[in-house]
Each structure stands twice: as structure tokens, then as C-alpha cells.
Amino acid sequence: MTVSDPVTGPAQVVLTASVARRYYLDGRSKIEIAEEFGMSRFKVARLLDTARTSGLVRIEIRHEGEIDVDLSAQLRDRFGLQHSIVVASPDEDAQALREHVGRAAAQLLAEIITPGDVLGLAWARSVSAMARVLPRLPGTPVVQLTGALTLPDGPDTSVDAVRDVATASGGVAHYFYAPLTVADAATARALRQQPEVARAFGQLPLVTKAVAGVGLWEAGQSTLYDAASVHDRAALRDLGVCADISGVLVAADGTPVPTELAERMIALSAEEMRAIPEVIVIPYGIRKAAAVRAALRSGLVAGIVTHTSLARAVLDEA
Amino acid sequence: MTVSDPVTGPAQVVLTASVARRYYLDGRSKIEIAEEFGMSRFKVARLLDTARTSGLVRIEIRHEGEIDVDLSAQLRDRFGLQHSIVVASPDEDAQALREHVGRAAAQLLAEIITPGDVLGLAWARSVSAMARVLPRLPGTPVVQLTGALTLPDGPDTSVDAVRDVATASGGVAHYFYAPLTVADAATARALRQQPEVARAFGQLPLVTKAVAGVGLWEAGQSTLYDAASVHDRAALRDLGVCADISGVLVAADGTPVPTELAERMIALSAEEMRAIPEVIVIPYGIRKAAAVRAALRSGLVAGIVTHTSLARAVLDEA
DNA sequence: TGAGTGGCTGCTCATGTGAGCGCACTCTGC
DNA sequence: GCAGAGTGCGCTCACATGAGCAGCCACTCA
């Protein structure tokens, strides 16, 4: 669709424009137009062709809202995703991004969730942001997928998110109070035996859609990293950990990395995440491009909601 | 085509935009798109409908050149013209307008003239401006339609225009040296008997396309008016003369006005002009709107080449 | 709980549409 | 002046397309 073959003369220009107007704007059929202008319908077709190739008719696909449809489609096609939403956020600070992305994720979830679905929520600040603005869902059961990390800057925990969504949906809420990481594997095993925890994890095979965050295994880019010990940080980096998908650790090429830390976590495993039909991640922050690529390559993820700068970074280097 | 029915959710937006892109920009068929996205072709059609009605797909018809295709078409439809070219002139002074309009008229003539045509040229400054920039025509015979008025501000006469075009076309030139108006009817009759004049006027029935100017019967808006006596000016105004089409005088409603002045002119009559299949007028200057309307209503004129401000004025009050 | 209701999806047939082919006309070189 | 190449134009057939209608599903109210 290059702009070439300039229409020859002025009469031709006016005629072509008139025909194009009748066809594209007035919605007349080519035959009607042919009769109106006293020419064959083939000539009409040719005029319309030249109108487009010469650039006289310009077709523009642009969404006026905050969704960047172009980047969304690129991301979806590049990584073979089912859903891909890229929002244009006016601000680039973490909180603004989180809220924008969270709101878009809430809209997406409200759109795609059906009465038969069981929703899983992993722990992430963006997931909490989404939960806060999620509209009423049609009686969807909600399952907590991970423990929570206590953050200095906010009261939200995964438990709150699960409860919020469950009450908003009117569905059953399977939640528990437990941290995401504990000191040793024995404590973790003991916690998993807890009735609420065991019951929630027993619901895992029923979960059809889940929402998770993505962290980059670097300082300030992953709450899990920041909460980990200095030893764990280095050990996992040495193992090739690039990203954590709400607790599931994967390498840069997307393959899950078995870690000793996993035994000290109250979270679903990579296999359990893979069993969920549709996992949607909500990453934000421009520095997380490598982690997002890893997450999307892992095959664990079916959808993404993010913002333009991160989406562009993910595509640029992919 | 109102902007309504906003596409429901973000996933819907992205899907609709992707389908629209494939269809409108990539030129894929609906069936191909249906297979690609795993849906029925009917759903594709519906998505495309919503894409257009919601304003997600915007089709714009705009010519990047100096031709205002929209005004051209409006003018053509309003007055039932065969050709209508409206050029956007950056300047509004008479000379710039005349040259712009003349150039467009030259292009139009070059486009629509065929080897079988015989071209008639009436006297007008815009016709001379056109003649100066007319490209080579395919051996077209050229016939002078009127005598010339000597103007203080330019060397061009209708004779020059006829000769210029004829030499450029390689065709026969039927021209003569005579003024447009003379003192009395007897002189005019005598002049018409002159061999060159008679020969040129004898070619009139063969003329297939002609170019003429339009004047408003007011001071400074018609070279004929300006050259007329004070008595003639008032007499013709009293007769209801509104416009002169290179010597053919018409009322505001377009009907030709028989005048005594006509007998003192070396010019074709209204009937002779009507016999020419395609007369194209080249008016310019924003104050001539009423005259242009009169000319277009007369039925003597099949085409127009003018500029945006005048075209708009003609349409506004029509 | 069950029939009514509205919305969504996909099928059918008449119509619109596009690629290929042949005709006629024009241009060019001999 | 004439033959060959190029080009614009319209016809034909197979296919794509659109309007209308039937089925399905979830929701609603009795």
C-alpha cells in the first residue's frame, strides 16, 4: 500500500474522489455507483483501486481510548497469546502504571470471565490494584494461589485481593493467611498442611483463569527478590533465574528453574501453573522487559496486560 | 456513520482492530480472516461493521494536491456539470488566482481533449493564462470565438491565445484580428464579413469544446463592463444583465438577455454557445459568485474551473 | 422449576465482486 | 501505409458477500 500512481488529471482526481466517497462513506454498491456515473462496474472497481493505491483514500485504524491496539496485536502475534492489552499510560511512575494496568486488567477479566470459570489470584501488587477496581463478577469462585508478602508501603495482601474479588462476585472464596516465603522447607510443608491452605490448593485443578504479576530478578524489580536473603538472591541468579511469575521462577528462555527456594514458598508450582488454561500476567515498569519476555516464552502465560513503554521494550529486543 | 456503540471490552477492542487491520490495510478477504482468527466469516463481517460504526476504522478521502475534491463534487452535483475543478489557491489576489485557475484549466483541457475535438477559445484573461501553460495537444484545431479587448496591464489578446494553443497543438488555427466591441452595428457587420473573421465563425459548428471567462456586470468585475460606455453599463443593468460569459450576456437566473450591445460585438451568440457540446468557464475572484451562479444556471456551461473561495461563495448562496 | 425472552451465533440464497480472457483502439517502428 | 506491441475496456464464471432466519444459550419471572 504505497502512495504511488498519482491519478493523471484533475478531472480524474475529482471523479475518483467522488466514486470513493460514494463507496466508502455513503456505502453504495459498485453497481449503483456505476449506474450513477454512467460507467461499468469494473471501471468503478479500478477507480477505487487507484484511489487507494494513490493515497486519495486513507483508511486509518485508531482507537481513541487508552488502548494501543497496534502494540497489543504485535505482542499477541509475537508470543502467540490469547489476550494482549497494552494501555497508554500518561505517567511513568510505578504507582500510576500499576493503577492503569490494573484497571485495564479488571476490564479484561470482566469481559472474558464466564459463569463456569474459577478464578485464581496470585500475589502481586498489580493484582491487588486490579482487584480493587474489579466490577461485579457472575458468582465466580476465587482461589488464592500464593501466600503474601508484607510490604512497607501498602496494606494490601493477597488475602485481601481474594476476599475483595470473592465478595464482589458473590462466589466462594478460598483464601488463607500465610506468607509467601518461610525460613525452611519444613515450615512450608507444615503450612501447606493447614486446612485452609490445603483446601485452597486442592481447588487448583479447577482454576480456569488466573492473574499473576511478573518480577525481574533484580533489586527493586521483584518483591520476591527484595524479600529474599542475600544468599538466595545470588544463588538463584547463578541458577539463571530471570523472572518470577508470582513465585514461579523461570530462566531467560522461559524454562522453569527448579530451586531450593521453591520448597520454602507457599505458592503454586510451575506445573500447577501450566495446568491452568489461561494465566494472565500484569507486568509494569519499563525495566522488566527481559522478565516479561521470559514469562511469555515460558508457555505458562496466555495473556498479558501492560503499558506501552514496557510493551515496546519487550518487542524491540525480542 | 455516527460514532456510537463503543466496543465493549479491551479484548474486543484489540480483536476488532486486528480484524479491521487485516481487512482494510492488508486487503485479506473475510474468509481468510475468519480462518486466521478461528471464527465464522459472519462474525468477521459483524466485527467490521462495529469497527466502522464505532469509529475505530476511519476512512478519509482527501487529495493532497491543490484540488479541493469535495467542493468540486458539490459544485458539479449542484449545477449538473460534467467537469468541475476547484483549486485551493494560497493567495487571493487577482493575478495569483488567475494563474492558479489557468493552470488547472490547462491540465483539465489536456486531460479531456481527444484527437477528434475542435477547441474554441473566447476572450478572457483567465483563458490567456490557461493558454500560456497549456501542454502540447494532439493536433487539435483551434477556433477564435470572440474579438479581443486591449487591456492596459497585459500584452495578451485572444489572438495570441489562439495562436499559442494552435502552434502548441500542431493543429490549424482559425484566428483573426478584431476588437470585441465596436462603435456601431454596421461596423460590426462589416468586420464579420472579413474573410478571416467569417472563416473562423464558419468553424463554430465544428467546435466541440470551448473555454470562456465569466464577468459580473459591475465595475472591475468584467472587462466588457469596464470597456463599455456609461450608457451601455446602465442600459444593460436595467435589462437585468448579471453576468457575461466571454461576451454572452445572461440574467441572474441564467437566461440570455438580448441586447443592442450584442450587435456591436464580434463574438459568438448565446445560441452558438449553446450549440457547443462542452463549454468550460474559468471564473476567479470572490465577488463574482452571482455571475458564476447565473452562468452555471444558463445551461450554456458544462464545466467550471475555479478556486475555493469563489466556489464556496457560489454554493453558499445558491 | 419451567416456559418466555433477548442476545448471540451460524446457515441459506440472492446478489455483489474480482481475476482472467478477448476485443478494439492507439502508438510505434519499419 | 502497415504490422506488432501496448493499453484500455467490457464480458464470463467462480467465489465472496450480505440480509434474513433458525437454533442455541443464558437469564428472568411466575
Side-chain angles (χ1 to χ4, degrees):
Chain A
M1 181 78 69
T2 52
V3 175
S4 63
D5 184 27
V7 188
T8 53
Q12 186 82 347
V13 169
V14 174
L15 178 65
T16 306
S18 303
V19 168
R21 168 169 292 274
R22 274 268 183 275
Y23 186 79
Y24 286 111
L25 300 186
D26 302 347
R28 303 300 187 86
S29 86
K30 296 184 185 178
I31 287 187
E32 281 179 308
I33 296 166
E35 286 168 356
E36 179 181 343
F37 287 86
M39 58 179 71
S40 81
R41 56 187 178 282
F42 310 98
K43 190 167 175 69
V44 173
R46 281 191 199 95
L47 283 177
L48 290 174
D49 278 347
T50 59
R52 279 199 302 186
T53 55
S54 71
L56 208 147
V57 167
R58 242 185 24 216
I59 300 178
E60 210 174 80
I61 297 174
R62 188 163 293 279
H63 184 56
E64 290 305 320
E66 62 175 6
I67 297 174
D68 189 321
V69 291
D70 208 39
L71 275 178
S72 301
Q74 281 185 48
L75 214 51
R76 183 199 55 198
D77 293 344
R78 178 76 65 102
F79 293 99
L81 302 172
Q82 288 183 44
H83 295 292
S84 165
I85 312 290
V86 177
V87 295
S89 175
D91 298 314
E92 286 288 323
D93 66 286
Q95 192 177 343
L97 288 178
R98 195 190 310 150
E99 285 177 7
H100 261 86
V101 166
R103 196 168 332 123
Q107 288 171 6
L108 174 63
L109 212 55
E111 184 183 2
I112 65 173
I113 215 140
T114 58
D117 276 322
V118 175
L119 178 62
L121 294 182
W123 184 85
R125 279 176 297 186
S126 53
V127 175
S128 297
M130 179 201 78
R132 275 197 294 276
V133 293
L134 199 62
R136 183 175 163 68
L137 297 179
T140 307
V142 184
V143 179
Q144 182 173 339
L145 300 179
T146 64
L149 281 174
T150 309
L151 292 173
D153 62 336
D156 293 301
T157 68
S158 63
V159 184
D160 290 324
V162 172
R163 277 195 315 192
D164 287 353
V165 173
T167 51
S169 72
V172 191
H174 299 279
Y175 60 94
F176 53 85
Y177 290 94
L180 180 56
T181 56
V182 292
D184 54 82
T187 309
R189 276 195 298 274
L191 272 173
R192 291 206 198 90
Q193 302 295 323
Q194 288 272 337
E196 312 92 30
V197 180
R199 202 185 57 195
F201 276 62
Q203 297 293 319
L204 267 184
L206 304 178
V207 172
T208 54
K209 290 187 169 66
V211 185
V214 174
L216 176 68
W217 198 249
E218 279 180 16
Q221 298 299 317
S222 159
T223 45
L224 185 57
Y225 179 99
D226 293 340
S229 67
V230 176
H231 172 263
D232 279 338
R233 294 175 183 176
L236 267 64
R237 180 165 52 241
D238 291 347
L239 281 171
V241 166
C242 172
D244 82 285
I245 309 168
S246 285
V248 174
L249 300 164
V250 298
D253 65 353
T255 53
V257 178
T259 63
E260 182 264 345
L261 175 61
E263 296 179 19
R264 286 183 277 125
M265 287 172 62
I266 313 299
L268 80 173
S269 67
E271 292 72 37
E272 287 166 329
M273 183 175 275
R274 192 182 300 280
I276 298 174
E278 201 166 340
V279 175
I280 295 165
V281 290
I282 324 181
Y284 62 95
I286 190 165
R287 294 191 53 205
K288 283 186 184 169
V292 173
R293 271 196 295 281
L296 297 183
R297 283 182 184 140
S298 71
L300 302 171
V301 171
I304 186 173
V305 179
T306 188
H307 54 94
T308 46
S309 47
L310 179 53
R312 210 166 271 135
V314 168
L315 286 166
D316 275 354
E317 304 161 37
Chain B
M1 182 77 72
T2 52
V3 175
S4 62
D5 185 25
V7 187
T8 52
Q12 186 82 346
V13 169
V14 173
L15 179 66
T16 306
S18 303
V19 168
R21 168 169 292 274
R22 274 270 183 271
Y23 186 79
Y24 286 111
L25 300 187
D26 301 347
R28 303 301 188 85
S29 86
K30 296 182 185 177
I31 288 186
E32 282 179 307
I33 296 166
E35 287 169 355
E36 181 182 342
F37 286 85
M39 59 179 72
S40 81
R41 60 195 179 84
F42 308 100
K43 189 167 176 69
V44 172
R46 282 190 197 95
L47 284 176
L48 289 174
D49 278 346
T50 59
R52 278 195 305 185
T53 54
S54 72
L56 208 146
V57 167
R58 237 182 33 213
I59 300 178
E60 209 172 82
I61 297 174
R62 200 141 50 88
H63 183 56
E64 289 304 321
E66 62 176 6
I67 297 173
D68 189 321
V69 291
D70 208 40
L71 274 177
S72 302
Q74 281 185 50
L75 213 50
R76 184 200 55 198
D77 294 344
R78 179 76 66 103
F79 293 99
L81 302 172
Q82 287 182 42
H83 294 292
S84 167
I85 312 289
V86 177
V87 295
S89 175
D91 298 314
E92 286 287 323
D93 66 288
Q95 192 178 341
L97 288 178
R98 196 191 309 148
E99 286 177 7
H100 261 86
V101 167
R103 196 169 330 126
Q107 289 171 7
L108 174 63
L109 212 55
E111 183 183 0
I112 64 173
I113 214 138
T114 58
D117 276 323
V118 176
L119 178 63
L121 293 182
W123 184 88
R125 280 176 296 187
S126 53
V127 174
S128 298
M130 180 202 76
R132 275 198 294 278
V133 293
L134 199 62
R136 182 175 164 67
L137 297 178
T140 308
V142 183
V143 180
Q144 183 173 340
L145 300 179
T146 66
L149 282 173
T150 309
L151 291 172
D153 62 336
D156 292 303
T157 68
S158 65
V159 185
D160 290 325
V162 173
R163 277 195 315 190
D164 287 352
V165 173
T167 51
S169 73
V172 191
H174 300 278
Y175 60 94
F176 54 84
Y177 291 93
L180 180 56
T181 56
V182 291
D184 54 82
T187 310
R189 278 195 297 275
L191 272 172
R192 291 205 197 91
Q193 302 294 323
Q194 289 272 334
E196 312 91 30
V197 180
R199 202 185 55 192
F201 277 62
Q203 298 293 319
L204 267 183
L206 304 177
V207 172
T208 53
K209 290 185 168 69
V211 185
V214 173
L216 177 69
W217 199 248
E218 279 180 15
Q221 298 299 318
S222 159
T223 45
L224 184 57
Y225 179 98
D226 293 341
S229 67
V230 176
H231 171 263
D232 280 339
R233 292 175 183 175
L236 268 64
R237 180 166 51 241
D238 291 347
L239 282 171
V241 166
C242 172
D244 82 284
I245 309 168
S246 284
V248 174
L249 300 162
V250 298
D253 65 353
T255 53
V257 178
T259 63
E260 182 264 342
L261 175 60
E263 297 179 19
R264 287 183 276 123
M265 285 173 62
I266 314 297
L268 79 173
S269 68
E271 292 73 36
E272 288 166 328
M273 184 174 276
R274 193 182 300 280
I276 299 175
E278 199 166 342
V279 176
I280 295 165
V281 290
I282 326 183
Y284 62 95
I286 188 162
R287 293 192 50 205
K288 284 186 182 168
V292 172
R293 270 197 296 281
L296 297 183
R297 284 182 184 140
S298 71
L300 301 171
V301 171
I304 186 173
V305 179
T306 188
H307 53 94
T308 45
S309 48
L310 179 52
R312 211 165 270 135
V314 168
L315 287 166
D316 275 356
E317 302 161 37

